[in-house]
Amino acid sequence: MKRVYAFNEGNASMKDLLGGKGANLAEMTRLDFPVPQGFTISTKACLEYLENDKQLLEELKNEINQAVSAMEETTNKKFNDPNDLLLVSVRSGAKFSMPGMMDTILNLGLNDENVEKLAKLTNDERFAYDCYRRLLQMFGNVVYEIKMDKFEKILNDTKNKNHIHYDSELSADLLKQIVLDYQKVYEEELGHPFPQDVYEQIYAAVEAVFSSWNNQRAIVYRKLNNIPDDLGTAVNIQEMVFGNKGDDCGTGVLFTRNPANGENKLYGEYLTNAQGEDVVAGIRTPVSITRLQEQFPEIYEQILDLTDRLEKHYGDIQDVEFTIEQSKLYILQTRNGKRTAQAAVKVAVDLVHEGILSPKEALMTINPESLHTLLHPAFDPKAVDNSPVISKLGLPASPGAATGQIVFDADTAKSWADEGKEVILVRHETSPEDIVGMNSATAIVTSQGGMTSHAAVVARGMGKCCVAGCSELEINEEKKQLQYPGGTLKEGDIISVDGTSGCLYLGEIPTIAGGANENFDQIMDWAREYATLAIRMNAETANDIENGLRFGAVGIGLVRTEHMFFQEDRLIAIRRFLLAKDKELRANILEKIKEYQTEDFTHIFELMQDKPVVVRLLDAPLHEFLPHAENEIANVAKVLEIDAESLVDRIHAMQEINPMMGHRGCRMGMTYPELYLTQAEAILRSAIKFAKQGISVKPEIMIPLVSNQSELKFLKEEIKAQLDQVLEEEKITVDYSIGVMIETPRACLIADQLANDAAFFSFGTNDLTQLTFGYSRDDAGKFLNQYLETGVLKDDPFQTIDTDAVAELVETATNKGREIDNQLKIGVCGELGGDPRSIQHFHKFGLSYVSCSPYRVPVAQLAAAQATISNL
Amino acid sequence: MKRVYAFNEGNASMKDLLGGKGANLAEMTRLDFPVPQGFTISTKACLEYLENDKQLLEELKNEINQAVSAMEETTNKKFNDPNDLLLVSVRSGAKFSMPGMMDTILNLGLNDENVEKLAKLTNDERFAYDCYRRLLQMFGNVVYEIKMDKFEKILNDTKNKNHIHYDSELSADLLKQIVLDYQKVYEEELGHPFPQDVYEQIYAAVEAVFSSWNNQRAIVYRKLNNIPDDLGTAVNIQEMVFGNKGDDCGTGVLFTRNPANGENKLYGEYLTNAQGEDVVAGIRTPVSITRLQEQFPEIYEQILDLTDRLEKHYGDIQDVEFTIEQSKLYILQTRNGKRTAQAAVKVAVDLVHEGILSPKEALMTINPESLHTLLHPAFDPKAVDNSPVISKLGLPASPGAATGQIVFDADTAKSWADEGKEVILVRHETSPEDIVGMNSATAIVTSQGGMTSHAAVVARGMGKCCVAGCSELEINEEKKQLQYPGGTLKEGDIISVDGTSGCLYLGEIPTIAGGANENFDQIMDWAREYATLAIRMNAETANDIENGLRFGAVGIGLVRTEHMFFQEDRLIAIRRFLLAKDKELRANILEKIKEYQTEDFTHIFELMQDKPVVVRLLDAPLHEFLPHAENEIANVAKVLEIDAESLVDRIHAMQEINPMMGHRGCRMGMTYPELYLTQAEAILRSAIKFAKQGISVKPEIMIPLVSNQSELKFLKEEIKAQLDQVLEEEKITVDYSIGVMIETPRACLIADQLANDAAFFSFGTNDLTQLTFGYSRDDAGKFLNQYLETGVLKDDPFQTIDTDAVAELVETATNKGREIDNQLKIGVCGELGGDPRSIQHFHKFGLSYVSCSPYRVPVAQLAAAQATISNL
């Protein structure tokens, strides 16, 4: 097993082995980019280390030593060599980019002797000691887990004592003292000094990077981003170049296009006389990349040229780290750039128009899940005009608009959000420790840091609204309050955050639906062109239906008729029905219900016209329609003119121990067929109205919770007989069909039997998941979170399909159904119908469509297209 | 397609096509038995008729006509022929014997002219008109559904008017008048006369038999006896012979051995000068078959010879109908005799000893389900001596002992039983209309009819205690009371019925466990010898365990530990645990619980010694241990010294919407691992006590409700670590293992994953069935009965395995488990483990054992042997 690869031994396709960063460094080396030389220790070596009780194998040490020798030859530098001193950086690099999650150490190779050699070599004592103190600080923190505060305090105390504002103003002598003080911290905290042996430094750094794969924040990030735990991370060891050697030096981060809006213009920041950490950490506020043109015009040209080549080479927007060492440019890293959904859409379309990508390739560059952020509501502009401004000085770090209560720490953010509150996390600057809280917040606000600060990068990745670096805010995290020019806010106060403009407002601002633009439309057009799966929506209100149509839904996959009964007059009608004592009365009420329902379906068909509409017949347990609170019972008894006691008796008789598995769905249809017949007739009579105008509406009547063939057969035949009689009376035809909702494990296993009677299948993935696991979704909270946190479950099976069992049942049912009818229309109307990862499976099984909530239609559409493209 | 078969065209193997009766008539014809000649219309013709909108096809009519012609040739008789008049009977005959269910018509071929010819031919006008009036009566009732009362009233009025007691005393003239009156009934009821054309009579009778396949009582019988609905019935048309031609005539029914106790002696009854219906209907009380020896000694000898041959030929006890016509014996029918479990066991053993059957064949003659009647308790003899007697004159028609409230009609029997009452159905005599009520009753008592009456035959078939023909009882079904020599009883009064002795007692009598005898032991020995499946019991009390061991259980398949917590002191302990606020307190309570449980398991191992014992760790939802009624809450709060309000809060917090799918089983084990560890340690510490005495008890620790691999892996590793530490401390070994209960569909589908960690599987068929169907067993009553009655479900899936889906999941899991570990021990501990039909499937899937309640162990044992034998 080969564990170590020199940069010139790899290429971009080796991400599994070399990690994303290592593969890209190898690729750039291959392309003759100005990359500092080095080597990569593979992810396999990491896994080997973790499995080997965290012991660094001798074999690995040997390979590292050999690679160092080779590097010494290529660079013409040597460890400890007073004439050509080699220093290196050690950086983690997993397969998937995990910003801020893994750790970096710079300037390895320095020790008490080498720092003097460096001073002589560079003729810059200040620079040499600054490098050393950075190494001591990073190494101590990363390798030995010494708190960063310990070092920061020494640094700040020294600055304060000497009335110094910027680190760069520290003199060599002061830095020497700092180095001595830092070394004391080692003795105090660890009982042993900083290791002077360079190889010992490297081994320890490699072990630290390897171990950091399993640190808490890495685990959380992976969970949030669905990255498997068993990949491991690579380690990149690279010759140091210095952005902090003087004013002809600098370091920066740039995107080849604007990651917020996709504009095709270099976008980024840099700092002169600084090392990389200074930019990302947001400690000094960097300047815009455009300023580089004035300061280093030649380098700017070189960057323009290199980034253009990089973008063409990778076919995607690039996120590049660079360093200028004494007017020479080095590219330290490139990777596909994280971006907002808006930018992703624009960049994808632009790259196609620029001839860099084909539409198929462009579709693959967009994360479907991110699209819904595009559709999120923005603030109503009129309301914004009347809202008191907190600040307009923030950076628009991640677009969107959100209102919520402010909190000042991640834990409170999480716990308030868990209580159902909308919270806005306000921090000086965020750090990886805040990830969970950021994920819980609806928006993030910081007073420090730029567009590439931790808060900004992470928020964009999460698709969360973020305003960064709003320096007008004086935040007191301890007192949980903030001061702004106009006043003071404390924990729990409501503010509104506009991540698109960077503005903050007092109080709540109403929102309007998020707008899609022509780029979005273009992406959706391409997605529709490539997707095999059709996308429908789950909807019954006019508002939802209009949204879904706007987003391109080609039909309705689920009308939930029980929702229609919760309006007051309807609720009274259904209650009267349930409590009626004689047949005649019952028949009268059904007439009334038929009128209501005919009205409901007419509204739906009016909007849907000739697009197919699946209507699910009543599914809810009937007792849900009955009152339960004491005063409510009295009221209802009064309205229905019956005595409260017999109402209570009836309610008790209808109560169930496990209502989810009780008398509902088609089981209720079997005991009250007249209810189903009434609904079916209402559907048909609505359809007839349009048929008479020559509009062929397509109702698809769905029978829920079937678990055996006779239920379906009986109800289908009863309904068909009734509807065909109506059609005969009306002398008209309607293209209706009767199908079945597949939501019990048994329905999956007898799908061949069901296919004999069903015109279509639609999977109800919620109930199917509940029954397959035996988890009541209403109750699973008691253990499901724990299961997710401890990894008993990798994913929440109600959010993404369980591939081991539920997916297998879906596949079995699909195959069995298609054995009987190879044209059988099969859809998904459960919540998983809008989940991109689940859609991959539904595509693979050959389903006809998925149905989801209107705002998820574009997500599903793109996911469906990607599923098709990646299986072409 | 051939629809009609002459008796000499068939044989005993053709039951599917000719029905049981037809195949046996053909077989007896083949063996040259004295069988009246005729032919059989096949079951296929019946299905064809039912599918063809109940239209008799011309093809069938032609085949019937041809068969009649052939019959006329064989018998030398002809329809309408004044010299050799042919009369026929028409009888139904399905594949499975369905006593009293289907209809018979005798004397077809008579009409207004032929009755005179018959009178002349036989020189017996009285006989001829008696035959004609019987035909009119049966034909009217069976074919035209004219109520039997209409005819009975005319008959009884005539008898009363003429002071006649027995039908046989009616003169020819009176019978002529009765025939005229009967014919008026036809005109009044139908508006048309009795059909004079003989072929028309036959066609109509055939149609009536065909249609009767789907009459209500036939459907109910089939459902109760698990006979498929799609078999159809054959029709047998046979030359009439007459047991009512005079005193040298007679008719009877006999069993080749005593069907109540198995004694090897002819057993039966006959009536002189009577037709068959008179015996079975219990209208006249017949005399014992032994009397035949005096009355017709030659015929008695002939019968002894024939029945001996029949028994040897069929290898089973035979139920034979015969007729003596003018001193000539005819065998009308033979079939395997229904018998009590006691008789079945004795006959099976005797037939082996007599060299007629091999043990394997003998095992196949016993209905496993019937065995549990053998084990039912009998009355405590001492208590019987002190109980007031109602009557000792009843016939011991079906053994057993039962106490209950008397009711006088089948509907009340059903509705009271549905309310959970034990009822005893008391009737003059039962009829097929009473089947449902009989099934609901715990015992049946009649005042009329013999050992072969409807009540007796059906009760034995059902394995229900029955006392028949208790003539001392004067029953008033209308007033719902009965008089007996010592007093009056009314509906709801409690009596005790001893079906083994035929005695009735006032009030309740305590029972003692039913005794098995040496024949039973012999059968069980053979069954164990042949069965591949081992039989365990579900038990945790000493009483249950002792019973199960007595019945041959080879281990315990399920100890339900939650049952152990419902004793008061234990309940308090578990409540304290659930409500404890600090860890220390909790640990103390667990120590107490460990003591309790150690005691529990010690008792169990003491009884089981080195037999394997599966202990299921706590499975019930924890809130089941908390109080729910208001006063109970107050009490508990007092005992636990906490305030009621916080107790209520805790109870609310633990309440679940669907507890069946909630926080229970291993999910609770995951949140409170200390509870499972405590239980596991208690199991081990009990085992260690025996290990120290050199007894190797075999605890099998079962983790319930697993639905993913991590649950099992985590809990298994935690438990194993703890137990191995204890073993190390104690320096001893115990042969314990840790396995998994398979009861969610997902567990079945990931059984290969589970097999990596599980030492054994045990299927929990109740939960598996609930989840596969999505039926909450607690709530399914709202629709399940309707589903069974209307045939939506063929069987209750909680009583016999659902072959379409649940069985498939069991098979899948078994195969997946065995792929990983081909020696994996796999059992069933759900209720279906004791169901003979389900056991057939479990055998086929290759399971290791089934486990059931102790009283069902012999049932399961025999079913397991039969499964093996029938698959040899």
Side-chain angles (χ1 to χ4, degrees), chain A residues 561-577:
Chain A
T561 53
E562 44 280 356
H563 289 196
M564 299 166 170
F565 286 102
F566 286 108
Q567 288 170 37
E568 200 180 352
D569 48 350
R570 284 132 192 258
L571 197 53
I572 291 172
I574 191 91
R575 283 171 174 173
R576 276 192 208 283
F577 173 80

Side-chain angles (χ1 to χ4, degrees), chain B residues 230 623 761:
Chain B
D230 59 356
H623 70 86
F761 283 0

Side-chain angles (χ1 to χ4, degrees), chain A residues 6-62:
Chain A
F7 288 170
N8 58 20
E9 290 179 310
N11 63 57
S13 73
M14 294 167 73
K15 285 192 178 166
D16 282 343
L17 198 61
L18 306 181
K21 191 178 291 181
N24 281 332
L25 284 167
E27 185 75 8
M28 287 193 294
T29 304
R30 214 173 57 85
L31 296 173
D32 272 336
F33 272 53
V35 175
Q37 276 315 287
F39 57 88
T40 304
I41 304 170
S42 76
T43 54
K44 277 197 187 159
C46 170
L47 296 177
E48 186 182 50
Y49 170 81
L50 294 173
E51 280 160 19
N52 191 33
D53 287 332
K54 300 199 172 187
Q55 294 297 321
L56 219 52
L57 292 178
E58 284 307 314
E59 292 93 320
L60 177 56
K61 287 186 186 170
N62 289 338

